[in-house]
Amino acid sequence: MGVLNQIEVVLRTTTPQVVAAVVRRYGDFDAAEDAVQEALLAAARQWPAEGVPDDPRAWLIRVASRRRIEAMRSDEARRRREALPADPPMEVRGDDELTLLVLCCHPDLSPPAQVALTLRAVGGLTTAEIARALLVPEATIGQRISRAKQKLRGKELRSREDPSARLPGVRQTLYLIFNEGSTASAGDALHRVELSAEAIRLTRQLRARLPGDGEVAGLLALMLLTDARRPARTAPDGRLVPLAEQDRSRWDAAAIAEGIAIITDALSRFEVGPFQVQAAIAAVHAEARRPEATDWPQILQLYGLLHALAPGPMVTLNRIVALAEVSGPAAGLAALEAAALAGHHRFAAVRAHLLERTGDTTAARDEYRRAARLTLSLPERRYLESRAARLT
């Protein structure tokens, strides 16, 4: 690896931790990131000639801190801080990154803004990389991040505030990032691996900081068990392959083993939560070596528990799928009509599948076509259209 490439890797991997340390010490996310950017520019100028320091993070923190202090002293409203003694060197601590992650998931920010800011500040992705991953114009992502930072002015996490109070929002943001990477909501690709991989990496870090949080453990297990099926979800020609038709030998056995171990431990030690239940469902699927060996009665029970803990339309829809596997497609169709979930392409896709199983191929074909029109994902649209064409 060349010197410039080495410097680029070091800067990319250390920047989120440096931002976290400066935010923790001085507050004001926007100003702290500006100071870090100046430190990065200084590193880009000096390191190629002088070499990478033995402790790059400490170097960047020291330079960014100086820049931040200089900015504070030049601000009329903060002249009183000039009399403060020089700050001692700061260390990058585990709770620095947690503080920054919690700050990026501030409840005053919209979910899209939380996702973009988390990927930028904690994940270290550039604005262009985030835009490509989310299929959103780069200018839009830039505005989203800028507005988010403006909203955070004066709202940084106070030292006496317990970060765990905002953990539900943090977990949900990481889940949104993973879901968008696991099954892209729009575009040509079914997966956006960079997003799902980043969500798993950040959740691993969060679990390391909070080993006593059962829902963080459940979230990590759910991600691992879901991502383990990714190699089998698309055929060589890019065609989507549904769960029942996947070549299970292509599933990632190591990820499955780790996910099952994590959720088994979490369920034995912590109060059960929605992410743990979802991980348990994924584990039941992962343990079946053949589709017909799937323990659908257990999955149906778990969806009943999930519905009690965190009811929602997708939970209801998945519970109906499990019901149809246990009690037959007619029972599933009856539950589907009673649930009144029309409007989403997944509802139409499930209804089409159940109609096909009852033998009503004409109605099933129409529902597959309707589902294809409703989805923005091209791989899903092609799959649904192929199902409709097969019934023609």
Side-chain angles (χ1 to χ4, degrees):
M1 180 184 294
V3 174
L4 292 179
N5 287 340
Q6 179 189 7
I7 292 174
E8 182 180 351
V9 170
V10 170
L11 292 178
R12 182 187 182 99
T13 55
T14 58
T15 296
Q17 298 170 352
V18 176
V19 173
V22 178
V23 169
R24 172 176 60 84
R25 180 63 182 85
Y26 300 105
D28 195 332
F29 185 99
D30 204 8
E33 191 178 47
D34 287 344
V36 173
Q37 290 299 319
E38 291 187 37
L40 294 175
L41 290 174
R45 288 193 300 266
Q46 295 180 36
W47 290 3
E50 301 174 4
V52 178
D54 292 336
D55 190 343
R57 287 181 295 185
W59 191 97
L60 289 168
I61 290 171
R62 187 164 56 251
V63 174
S65 297
R66 279 202 297 265
R67 298 292 189 271
R68 184 70 187 97
I69 291 172
E70 289 168 2
M72 290 164 60
R73 288 175 175 170
S74 66
D75 188 341
E76 281 296 330
R78 298 180 182 179
R79 282 191 180 278
R80 62 182 183 277
R81 301 196 185 191
E82 289 184 355
L84 293 176
D87 296 297
M90 290 182 296
E91 298 178 355
V92 175
R93 306 185 319 197
D95 55 357
D96 289 330
E97 293 176 88
L98 175 59
T99 298
L100 185 58
L101 181 56
V102 169
L103 183 59
C104 291
C105 300
H106 195 284
D108 284 357
L109 302 180
S110 67
Q114 291 177 358
V115 167
L117 194 58
T118 298
L119 290 173
R120 176 70 181 87
V122 187
L125 275 66
T126 66
T127 303
E129 288 171 331
I130 298 169
R132 285 196 299 270
L134 297 177
L135 296 185
V136 175
E138 185 175 346
T140 301
I141 291 295
Q143 292 173 356
R144 193 174 291 174
I145 293 173
S146 177
R147 289 169 183 165
K149 291 191 291 186
Q150 290 293 326
K151 275 194 172 184
L152 289 181
R153 284 188 179 277
K155 294 182 180 179
E156 53 269 4
L157 192 69
R158 304 301 178 185
S159 59
R160 294 183 180 179
E161 184 178 346
D162 182 5
S164 64
R166 295 189 192 168
L167 269 182
V170 172
R171 291 191 296 254
Q172 190 62 31
T173 296
L174 293 175
Y175 186 51
L176 288 173
I177 294 172
F178 176 80
N179 273 352
E180 188 59 31
S182 178
T183 303
S185 59
D188 295 333
L190 181 64
H191 308 115
R192 295 178 198 156
V193 179
E194 67 275 22
L195 284 181
S196 53
E198 187 61 23
I200 290 173
R201 186 186 73 82
L202 293 175
T203 306
R204 281 192 188 279
Q205 289 186 355
L206 187 61
R207 181 172 178 249
R209 309 297 180 225
L210 303 170
D213 190 296
E215 278 293 83
V216 172
L219 177 59
L220 178 57
L222 174 61
M223 289 179 177
L224 290 170
L225 291 165
T226 303
D227 195 59
R229 300 198 296 262
R230 174 167 46 84
R233 290 188 66 207
T234 52
D237 60 1
R239 174 177 51 86
L240 184 150
V241 181
L243 178 61
E245 300 173 17
Q246 289 174 13
D247 177 0
R248 301 188 176 208
S249 67
R250 298 182 63 197
W251 288 0
D252 187 336
I256 289 174
E258 183 184 5
I260 290 176
I262 291 173
I263 188 55
T264 300
D265 174 71
L267 289 173
S268 69
R269 295 197 298 124
F270 304 115
E271 181 180 353
V272 69
F275 283 123
Q276 294 172 65
V277 177
Q278 292 179 73
I281 293 170
V284 175
H285 281 296
E287 290 170 335
R289 296 187 177 182
R290 304 181 314 279
E292 58 271 20
T294 304
D295 189 346
W296 284 107
Q298 184 181 358
I299 290 175
L300 180 58
Q301 287 185 335
L302 288 169
Y303 271 119
L305 176 58
L306 183 60
H307 179 75
L309 291 171
M314 290 301 106
V315 174
T316 300
L317 191 59
N318 288 328
R319 186 184 182 193
I320 290 171
V321 171
L323 173 66
E325 293 293 337
V326 173
S327 303
L333 282 169
L336 199 60
E337 298 304 325
L341 295 173
H344 194 282
H345 81 276
R346 297 195 189 280
F347 167 87
V350 168
R351 189 167 187 273
H353 173 66
L354 296 180
L355 285 167
E356 182 181 357
R357 287 181 57 189
T358 65
D360 191 347
T361 56
T362 301
R365 180 191 62 209
D366 293 341
E367 281 296 293
Y368 278 128
R369 287 173 174 169
R370 188 164 75 90
R373 290 194 300 269
L374 289 173
T375 183
L376 298 177
S377 168
L378 293 182
E380 287 188 337
R381 182 179 302 164
R382 295 189 194 106
Y383 168 75
L384 293 166
E385 288 173 345
S386 71
R387 302 291 293 191
R390 192 171 53 85
L391 298 177
T392 300

